[in-house]
Amino acid sequence: MSVRPQNPALPILKSISYFRSLPARELARLATRCQTRALQPGQLLFEEGAPCTGLFMIATGHIDVRQVSYRGREQIFHTEGPGATLGEGPLFDGGGYIASAVASEPTTVLFLRRADLLDLCRRHPIVALRMLESLARRVRRFAEIIADLAFRPVSERLARYIDEAGKAQPGTRGAEVQLELTQAQLAARLGTVRELIARAFADLEREGIIARRGRRIVIRDPARLASIARGER
Amino acid sequence: MSVRPQNPALPILKSISYFRSLPARELARLATRCQTRALQPGQLLFEEGAPCTGLFMIATGHIDVRQVSYRGREQIFHTEGPGATLGEGPLFDGGGYIASAVASEPTTVLFLRRADLLDLCRRHPIVALRMLESLARRVRRFAEIIADLAFRPVSERLARYIDEAGKAQPGTRGAEVQLELTQAQLAARLGTVRELIARAFADLEREGIIARRGRRIVIRDPARLASIARGER
DNA sequence: CGCGCCGTGTGACTTTAGTCATAGAACCTG
DNA sequence: CAGGTTCTATGACTAAAGTCACACGGCGCG
């Protein structure tokens, strides 16, 4: 009685912006070429320097892309969730992975081999254009990190983070923010160490700019927060 | 007596990796669509945040792509010479320019409008693939800068720079390096200030690792230089 | 319920980065 | 070759970042 079983990869592929405008036939074909992989929290998807043989797409969960220095410091470059892709960089310039990818929660990813993808780009230039867009956004994001590290003190980076989280948080009234990250994770993302984050938080609280209860933050003085975020210290 | 005059943009277009494999007809057509612009040293080609309407290609000269903080610090993201392109980032993600571009010497550039380029990508997917490669390399380069800023002290960044310059320098015997940059430019590139570069140079010299006469450097102890460059301090 | 782990807070300290001021060398350019 | 401009060197200082050690609270779990 059942209809022809649909490949489980199909709906995921559809959720990837690159492929959205492909004809159904092409998508179905693509789905047959995908492999799936499940990851536990903390598990490595790929490691900096390793050769890249294809593209990963996140079906569910989240992945941190980061480097770790020999001195033990961690820098998170970006975090990706469902519908995002990983490893386009090395895919196209032929080098090894630029950073390591680690699941931060139970995660499943799809994998598509490089040759399949290049072939697809040739037959459907729109796919290549979409990937150009995505890579361009990544360049922009990386440039922001560089500017943060080169120009802004830690306290300012944190203020920026909270400020943006405040704006991004949708439903709640603007003043309240639920942080998703521990201070250690925040530090890895902002390019510093845990202690400095703790102190910067304490300073903001002491000055009455924010109030905290655990990871729940109330922005008491949005104007002053924004002005610190802009570097007007 | 003269043959049909060739568009002066043509040989330049041919030197751009994106276009190398295009048929002659297509190239000629493209050449008619290019505009040319000449820049004096120090002149701005485009400014961070400005809208992007097309792609620049360098015919001759060099361009620094950089941001300047409101505190007056400069960070050079990359420097491009003949055959390189500028502004692919904003071209594809639709945002403003990520950084400002300034000629560091007399420079001429070609300009191709966004619509022409997108059209070209659709008709010749190989162009899109080449641009993907170029953008991917930029992502990688930016990631290197992030890792430098996040992980490595200034002295180490300088050692890396000299070490790499030593390896890159072709004709000369490995031990001698001609620096192309002033200390101030080097600082902007390595994400610090001039004085620290001066001191780091002095330290390397004091320890007998390098010797200097102006911007001419002799690497006296390549092994030690490389070990500092790797962070084994 | 008590133990251990994780996340956090903070004092005290070290190291690295950055600033300011000044002097001298090098290098155009008329 | 004189005189300004640019580049470099360095001392003395301030500020920011990072390290280390330890204490505390909450939470999960045997």
Side-chain angles (χ1 to χ4, degrees):
Chain A
M1 272 284 86
S2 77
V3 280
R4 183 144 59 96
Q6 186 193 250
N7 186 315
L10 200 55
I12 296 155
L13 284 179
K14 272 187 193 146
S15 76
I16 312 279
S17 77
Y18 305 162
F19 306 135
R20 228 187 302 272
S21 45
L22 286 177
R25 280 186 61 91
E26 192 72 72
L27 267 173
R29 201 175 95 115
L30 216 53
T32 67
R33 316 230 45 170
C34 284
Q35 297 161 247
T36 305
R37 189 162 155 202
L39 295 162
Q40 298 310 307
Q43 206 182 333
L44 197 68
L45 177 58
F46 55 76
E47 190 158 24
E48 184 191 343
C52 163
T53 59
L55 183 75
F56 289 106
M57 297 160 275
I58 303 181
T60 64
H62 281 91
I63 302 239
D64 286 336
V65 178
R66 41 125 243 215
Q67 284 188 11
V68 178
S69 81
Y70 45 95
R71 290 175 180 90
R73 270 269 287 278
E74 183 186 356
Q75 172 73 48
I76 297 178
F77 289 79
H78 51 116
T79 297
E80 303 293 348
T85 55
L86 295 173
E88 308 90 322
L91 191 69
F92 289 110
D93 79 355
Y97 282 110
I98 294 170
S100 305
V102 181
S104 60
E105 50 183 292
T107 297
T108 61
V109 297
L110 253 49
F111 177 79
L112 193 56
R113 286 187 334 172
R114 177 201 208 111
D116 291 328
L117 204 73
L118 294 183
D119 179 55
L120 192 69
C121 285
R122 270 183 277 264
R123 285 182 300 116
H124 296 279
I126 182 69
V127 173
L129 284 172
R130 288 272 160 74
M131 299 193 86
L132 277 165
E133 187 183 331
S134 148
L135 220 36
R137 263 200 291 269
R138 190 141 305 162
V139 169
R140 187 179 297 277
R141 163 116 186 73
F142 279 26
E144 269 169 30
I145 299 178
I146 293 172
D148 259 21
L149 294 174
F151 298 149
R152 292 186 253 277
V154 170
S155 56
E156 192 176 320
R157 290 180 231 160
L158 179 63
R160 270 159 64 81
Y161 183 88
I162 299 172
D163 190 43
E164 270 158 36
K167 284 168 191 154
Q169 210 108 103
T172 54
R173 67 181 184 294
E176 227 171 296
V177 183
Q178 175 64 42
L179 288 185
E180 305 295 338
L181 305 172
T182 67
Q183 294 186 353
Q185 292 171 312
L186 209 41
R189 187 172 285 277
L190 300 181
T192 182
V193 295
R194 211 212 82 228
E195 290 92 327
L196 290 196
I197 296 294
R199 282 192 232 274
F201 266 127
D203 289 346
L204 287 173
E205 191 160 32
R206 202 167 311 124
E207 298 185 57
I209 295 169
I210 63 169
R212 290 182 292 167
R213 223 179 46 257
R215 258 169 250 174
R216 178 138 228 109
I217 292 186
V218 180
I219 301 175
R220 284 201 147 350
D221 190 340
R224 215 128 81 77
L225 181 65
S227 108
I228 292 175
R230 282 194 307 273
E232 301 155 12
R233 241 269 160 251
Chain B
M1 273 285 83
S2 76
V3 280
R4 183 144 58 94
Q6 185 192 249
N7 186 315
L10 200 54
I12 295 154
L13 283 178
K14 272 188 193 146
S15 78
I16 312 280
S17 77
Y18 304 161
F19 305 135
R20 228 189 302 272
S21 44
L22 247 31
R25 280 187 59 92
E26 194 71 74
L27 267 174
R29 201 175 97 115
L30 216 53
T32 68
R33 316 229 47 169
C34 284
Q35 296 162 249
T36 305
R37 191 163 153 202
L39 295 162
Q40 297 309 307
Q43 207 182 332
L44 199 67
L45 177 59
F46 55 74
E47 190 159 23
E48 184 190 343
C52 163
T53 59
L55 183 74
F56 289 105
M57 297 160 275
I58 303 181
T60 64
H62 281 91
I63 302 240
D64 286 337
V65 179
R66 37 125 246 213
Q67 284 188 10
V68 177
S69 81
Y70 45 93
R71 289 173 179 94
R73 270 268 288 277
E74 183 186 357
Q75 172 72 49
I76 296 178
F77 289 80
H78 51 117
T79 297
E80 302 293 347
T85 57
L86 295 174
E88 308 91 324
L91 191 70
F92 289 110
D93 79 357
Y97 282 110
I98 294 171
S100 305
V102 180
S104 60
E105 51 183 290
T107 296
T108 61
V109 299
L110 253 49
F111 177 79
L112 195 55
R113 286 187 335 175
R114 178 200 208 109
D116 290 328
L117 203 74
L118 294 182
D119 178 55
L120 192 69
C121 284
R122 270 184 276 265
R123 287 183 298 116
H124 295 279
I126 180 71
V127 172
L129 284 172
R130 288 272 160 74
M131 299 192 85
L132 277 165
E133 186 183 332
S134 149
L135 221 36
R137 263 200 293 269
R138 191 140 304 161
V139 169
R140 186 180 296 276
R141 164 114 184 74
F142 279 26
E144 269 170 29
I145 299 178
I146 293 172
D148 259 21
L149 294 175
F151 299 148
R152 291 186 254 277
V154 170
S155 57
E156 191 176 321
R157 291 181 230 160
L158 179 63
R160 269 159 64 80
Y161 182 87
I162 299 172
D163 190 43
E164 270 160 35
K167 283 167 191 153
Q169 210 109 100
T172 55
R173 64 183 187 293
E176 228 171 294
V177 183
Q178 174 65 41
L179 289 184
E180 304 296 339
L181 304 173
T182 67
Q183 293 185 354
Q185 292 172 312
L186 210 41
R189 185 172 286 277
L190 300 182
T192 183
V193 295
R194 215 213 77 232
E195 291 92 327
L196 289 196
I197 296 295
R199 282 193 232 274
F201 266 127
D203 289 347
L204 287 173
E205 192 161 30
R206 202 168 309 121
E207 298 185 56
I209 295 168
I210 61 169
R212 289 183 293 167
R213 224 179 43 257
R215 256 169 254 172
R216 179 137 227 109
I217 291 185
V218 180
I219 301 174
R220 285 201 146 351
D221 191 340
R224 216 128 80 78
L225 182 65
S227 110
I228 293 176
R230 283 194 306 272
E232 302 155 11
R233 240 271 159 251

